[in-house]
Amino acid sequence: MNVYKPSKIRNIVLLGHSGSGKTTLAETMLFESGSKKRRGSVEQKNTSSDYHDIEREKGKSVFSSLLHFDWRGSKINLIDTPGTADYIGEVAGALRVADTAIFALNGEYGVEVGTELHWKYTEKYNIPSLFIVNKPDNEYADFQNAVDSAKEHFGRGVVVVQYPYSEGEDFHAIIDVLKMTMYEFPEKGGKPDKLPIPDSHKAQADLLHNQLVEAVAENDETLLDLYLEQGELTESQMREGLQQSLLNRDIFPLFCCCAKRNMGTGRVMGFLGNVAPNPLEANPPKTVGGEPVELNPNGEPLMFIWKNSSESHVGDMLFFKMYGGTATAGLDLINESTGSGVRLSGLYGINGHKREEVPQIPTGDLAAAVKLKNTGVNDTLHSKDRDIKIEPIHFPEPIIRTAIRLKHDGEEDKLGNALHQLQREDPSMQIEHSQELKQVIVHGQGEEHLAVIKYALETRFNLELEFVQPRIPYRETITKAVRTEYKHKKQSGGAGQYGAVSMLIEPLTENMEEHSDLKVRDVQEIDLEWGGKLIFRNCIVGGVIDNRFMPAILKGIMEKMEAGPLSNCRVRDLRISVYDGDMHSVDSNDAAFRTAALMAFKDGFLKANPKLMEPIYTIEVTVPANFMGDVMSDISTRRGQILGMDSEGSIQKIKAQVPLEELDHYATRLKSMTQGSARYSRSFSHYDQVPYDIQQRVMEETMQVQEA
């Protein structure tokens, strides 16, 4: 395998909504470059990128795949990514190390919700981007609609470089307004004939050519002066201007190709080799402190881990990008996250499911390593003489959750280890071992994401399990003040137990009034780990309870607050004042006062007009305008409250607040309701009181469980 100079490397990520043809485009590029003698297809399940069993089963990408090929002396690293929003974690990692992004647009639909989601990441990481309108041979293809939707969503920087001579079944030629040439393809695709632009298209080609030249010139004062003086720019001037405008994200060139029939991919690859930035020219990543990372091929080694793919016979295969120096087998580095030493062993060039051991990896290149101890995604590895940490990949928050129930007892540790490994490979999933709910809960990016996790647990780790409804982490509190007391007395031979406690339980509010009959001796303000506060006050006078028993009284109260009387969920926002009680010189001890306090608190809580509170989440739904009404109506049926709406062209954004209980299957419902075109994100907002009927239902269910 050749070792390329950084100036001859291009790192490209393929993005786009599911069904836009990214995998087919990648396959055609490999074939066109000569890296493959025969093109695979998604239908035949023999593509270089979608090689996992589950991808072949689904007929689409689930994981990102690193590919590479040589194009006229340059190495093109190509990362094919999933288009389904459920696998956005795979996309986020690829975008972190790419120097250029290609957005594939389906010629029939133009910009779709998945494209919108990926665009936000290119903006965040300042990645030069270009568009390819794919599938112009589709019966319902509408190139101009795709162009208009791209401009509507991404601005006037979208400029046409190519357009189809004809669309639908008659598609066979592309007009290039940069080179002012028509490329006519043979019936089976491949190398085109270069022809003059037909007279019937001359006016349109001239118009688009001028728009392209003006777009390049207006972003460079020197080129603008030359353009105004000469009325035209040379090919080399255009190339230079395009490269800088692309790098600055001032221009987003738009191409046309039919990947399935191998028409137009060679021209795109030529553009990548000639115009797309190499790693030294690309916008550099930043450190966690916000400083740009300078890529120095002759400096100390610096690498960043962006993907983990575990394989049964080799373990964790960690994908990395070199941001400085050269990686070689046997090299000793420091993991900035752990401070521990790491020795590089085997280094591999990756081409889909194929890998080849290589002696070295230069600055800017993408590769993989195995047997890196205590190393994972987002880790920065550097030489002993450096102290640097590259800004990590920011994975999106999950939008769906499920609980796991094992079918066989005694496999809890095996499940824990399996989930830990899966999370190492996929940081977009989150694992919650909830002591409060007594469930293991998996949080993911959608139903498909959860299905892939379940598939891995069953096939890779041989676990028999089922997904069940996760419980809701309710909170309990009260709405009125009560005084309560309890005497715990137990005599069974020998030393007995005796303790009596009287307390005032109040809902915690601002500017609470004091009580004239209470003298506060000591106050503890406790920030509860599950949210809210407890104010615990010692108001004992006359020594009726010894001060040494106050910690036991607090412990008894806290014990019941962790499993509240209404739902077995946690209690919050109370002020408790212990003002009276009784003790015995022999039989009183910590256990007696703990029990007395617990029972007094439980009895008083149930008399204090208790209320159940549920978690409320703020959601933002991104949806095409034609589904707006249906989505808003559905939110209303979920006890949701619309906070506002915004629009970006034909894409609408709805912001609302919805109880967590109503969101557990919302991702599936939203997908079904909008034909897979909508996406939503969510974040915890606050707790709010549940309706009376739901509180009664939860209390009855809790009582049934306790009786059982």
Side-chain angles (χ1 to χ4, degrees):
M1 181 176 174
N2 295 334
V3 176
Y4 292 78
K5 295 179 180 178
S7 61
K8 291 294 184 179
I9 295 172
R10 304 290 184 273
N11 295 314
I12 314 296
V13 61
L14 277 178
L15 307 169
H17 195 78
S18 181
S20 59
K22 299 183 299 300
T23 298
T24 302
L25 179 60
E27 193 71 13
T28 302
M29 286 182 171
L30 289 170
F31 174 75
E32 185 71 10
S33 69
S35 295
K36 292 189 74 170
K37 301 301 181 185
R38 182 173 177 271
R39 278 198 303 163
S41 71
V42 174
E43 294 76 16
Q44 294 176 352
K45 307 181 188 300
N46 59 353
T47 56
S48 291
S49 51
D50 292 357
Y51 59 88
H52 294 88
D53 289 343
I54 194 168
E55 292 178 307
R56 290 172 175 165
E57 181 182 313
K58 287 179 172 289
K60 64 179 180 180
S61 301
V62 172
F63 306 102
S64 61
S65 295
L66 176 59
L67 311 164
H68 70 263
F69 55 85
D70 183 282
W71 184 252
R72 297 174 182 172
S74 292
K75 181 185 182 185
I76 309 290
N77 285 318
L78 192 66
I79 310 175
D80 181 22
T81 65
T84 304
D86 291 46
Y87 314 124
I88 185 62
E90 294 287 326
V91 181
L95 277 161
R96 189 63 188 78
V97 296
D99 300 321
T100 304
I102 294 178
F103 285 86
L105 304 181
N106 188 317
E108 180 179 350
Y109 304 112
V111 176
E112 299 171 85
V113 171
T115 313
E116 185 88 13
L117 184 63
H118 298 162
W119 182 262
K120 291 181 179 179
Y121 278 93
T122 63
E123 288 183 317
K124 179 178 180 61
Y125 295 134
N126 199 24
I127 302 174
S129 303
L130 56 101
F131 295 90
I132 296 177
V133 178
N134 193 18
K135 303 186 178 182
D137 59 335
N138 187 292
E139 179 182 358
Y140 302 105
D142 188 339
F143 179 82
Q144 191 56 50
N145 173 66
V147 173
D148 292 343
S149 66
K151 289 186 175 183
E152 188 176 35
H153 285 88
F154 311 125
R156 59 190 297 270
V158 177
V159 289
V160 175
V161 176
Q162 297 176 332
Y163 70 93
Y165 174 78
S166 57
E167 296 182 76
E169 294 180 358
D170 294 334
F171 174 79
H172 67 287
I174 293 172
I175 294 175
D176 191 307
V177 301
L178 175 58
K179 293 186 173 290
M180 289 305 285
T181 300
M182 185 172 85
Y183 297 99
E184 186 175 59
F185 297 89
E187 184 177 348
K188 294 185 178 180
K191 187 175 181 180
D193 292 325
K194 298 179 182 180
L195 304 174
I197 296 174
D199 292 340
S200 59
H201 280 262
K202 198 73 172 66
Q204 183 181 2
D206 285 340
L207 175 65
L208 293 173
H209 176 76
N210 289 335
Q211 289 177 355
L212 177 60
V213 175
E214 289 172 5
V216 170
E218 71 180 19
N219 291 301
D220 187 307
E221 290 186 7
T222 303
L223 292 179
L224 180 60
D225 291 340
L226 288 171
Y227 176 65
L228 293 174
E229 181 182 322
Q230 303 171 2
E232 184 61 273
L233 294 177
T234 65
E235 186 174 334
S236 63
Q237 289 169 340
M238 281 291 291
R239 183 185 299 115
E240 180 184 337
L242 267 172
Q243 185 174 43
Q244 193 58 48
S245 297
L246 184 69
L247 195 60
N248 295 340
R249 287 180 61 86
D250 293 325
I251 283 181
F252 309 106
L254 186 143
F255 292 81
C256 172
C257 82
C258 180
K260 192 165 188 176
R261 294 167 61 188
N262 190 16
M263 296 181 179
T265 51
R267 175 72 179 94
V268 174
M269 292 156 70
F271 184 86
L272 295 175
N274 293 328
V275 178
N278 65 53
L280 302 181
E281 298 166 332
N283 297 316
K286 295 181 179 179
T287 66
V288 291
E291 297 295 322
V293 176
E294 181 182 354
L295 276 68
N296 183 358
N298 300 315
E300 295 293 325
L302 176 65
M303 56 198 290
F304 176 78
I305 310 297
W306 61 276
K307 177 180 171 67
N308 181 353
S309 178
S310 182
E311 299 187 5
S312 56
H313 57 289
V314 294
D316 287 351
M317 179 162 281
L318 298 171
F319 291 67
F320 64 89
K321 181 176 182 178
M322 287 301 297
Y323 282 111
T326 300
T328 56
L331 182 67
D332 289 321
L333 298 173
I334 300 295
N335 185 330
E336 181 64 24
S337 299
T338 64
S340 59
V342 177
R343 170 164 289 187
L344 301 184
S345 52
L347 300 176
Y348 295 88
I350 304 296
N351 207 350
H353 63 282
K354 296 181 179 179
R355 57 220 49 185
E356 179 183 353
E357 192 162 4
V358 293
Q360 61 183 43
I361 306 297
T363 294
D365 210 352
L366 305 179
V370 296
K371 300 178 182 177
L372 299 185
K373 189 177 179 182
N374 299 322
T375 302
V377 174
N378 274 335
D379 284 347
T380 300
L381 307 183
H382 55 75
S383 63
K384 296 178 181 179
D385 299 328
R386 299 195 71 172
D387 181 12
I388 184 173
K389 187 170 185 178
I390 295 173
E391 180 189 9
I393 302 160
H394 300 285
F395 294 96
E397 289 297 313
I399 63 170
I400 193 171
R401 65 192 193 120
T402 189
I404 295 178
R405 178 188 293 156
L406 289 168
K407 293 185 178 180
H408 302 295
D409 293 335
E411 293 190 329
E412 290 77 13
D413 288 345
K414 185 178 178 182
L415 174 64
N417 293 333
L419 289 172
H420 175 70
Q421 177 60 38
L422 291 181
Q423 192 173 35
R424 279 176 53 81
E425 299 168 25
D426 180 8
S428 71
M429 67 179 280
Q430 293 180 11
I431 310 301
E432 177 186 358
H433 296 269
S434 177
Q435 297 297 319
E436 175 188 4
L437 303 178
K438 297 178 175 58
Q439 288 182 313
V440 176
I441 299 175
V442 177
H443 300 259
Q445 301 297 328
E447 292 279 7
E448 282 196 41
H449 189 204
L450 294 181
V452 170
I453 294 169
K454 187 172 186 286
Y455 176 88
L457 290 171
E458 291 175 336
T459 58
R460 283 178 54 188
F461 300 98
N462 299 315
L463 286 163
E464 291 189 42
L465 55 91
E466 59 181 335
F467 282 170
V468 297
Q469 186 75 15
R471 302 184 183 107
I472 303 296
Y474 293 109
R475 294 291 177 262
E476 303 178 19
T477 192
I478 58 175
T479 57
K480 72 174 185 180
V482 298
R483 294 184 184 240
T484 179
E485 61 184 37
Y486 189 87
K487 181 184 292 184
H488 177 65
K489 186 176 182 180
K490 184 178 181 182
Q491 195 73 40
S492 58
Q497 288 191 11
Y498 181 85
V501 174
S502 298
M503 63 179 71
L504 170 64
I505 306 176
E506 303 171 278
L508 184 62
T509 60
E510 292 185 9
N511 303 315
M512 295 183 68
E513 66 173 342
E514 289 296 338
H515 301 271
S516 58
D517 63 324
L518 298 183
K519 183 177 180 181
V520 182
R521 295 178 57 194
D522 182 54
V523 178
Q524 293 185 54
E525 183 173 320
I526 302 169
D527 289 315
L528 302 169
E529 63 179 66
W530 53 85
K533 287 186 177 182
L534 167 66
I535 305 296
F536 179 72
R537 309 198 304 175
N538 180 356
C539 301
I540 296 295
V541 293
V544 293
I545 299 178
D546 197 296
N547 197 51
R548 64 191 172 94
F549 293 126
M550 295 310 291
I553 293 173
L554 175 59
K555 184 177 180 180
I557 293 170
M558 290 289 292
E559 186 175 322
K560 195 57 191 171
M561 287 183 69
E562 290 194 29
L566 297 183
S567 64
N568 272 338
C569 290
R570 292 165 170 172
V571 178
R572 57 180 284 172
D573 298 328
L574 303 178
R575 184 172 79 171
I576 298 178
S577 305
V578 179
Y579 62 86
D580 200 3
D582 192 19
M583 62 179 180
H584 188 274
S585 59
V586 176
D587 293 341
S588 289
N589 53 38
D590 284 349
F593 275 102
R594 181 188 64 81
T595 302
L598 186 153
M599 297 305 296
F601 173 78
K602 178 182 177 181
D603 293 346
F605 188 91
L606 291 172
K607 296 173 183 175
N609 194 14
K611 67 177 181 180
L612 198 62
M613 303 173 72
E614 63 181 340
I616 306 296
Y617 278 68
T618 298
I619 69 170
E620 185 173 279
V621 184
T622 305
V623 59
N626 54 316
F627 294 112
M628 180 99 164
D630 293 339
V631 171
M632 292 181 67
S633 297
D634 185 70
I635 288 174
S636 297
T637 66
R638 296 174 182 274
R639 300 190 283 128
Q641 179 182 356
I642 304 294
L643 301 180
M645 292 165 284
D646 196 7
S647 63
E648 293 183 8
S650 61
I651 300 294
Q652 304 293 314
K653 293 185 177 179
I654 305 169
K655 195 171 184 179
Q657 288 189 333
V658 183
L660 175 61
E661 184 178 34
E662 304 290 345
L663 291 176
D664 276 340
H665 294 287
Y666 182 60
T668 307
R669 172 62 181 154
L670 184 65
K671 188 174 184 179
S672 171
M673 190 169 35
T674 63
Q675 299 173 17
S677 63
R679 168 77 178 170
Y680 93 102
S681 61
R682 73 184 190 189
S683 59
F684 173 75
S685 174
H686 64 283
Y687 272 88
D688 204 356
Q689 186 169 355
V690 303
Y692 178 77
D693 60 324
I694 295 179
Q695 177 164 323
Q696 291 301 111
R697 187 200 76 206
V698 172
M699 290 175 63
E700 290 171 4
E701 291 173 352
T702 303
M703 188 176 298
Q704 290 171 3
V705 170
Q706 290 174 341
E707 289 175 353

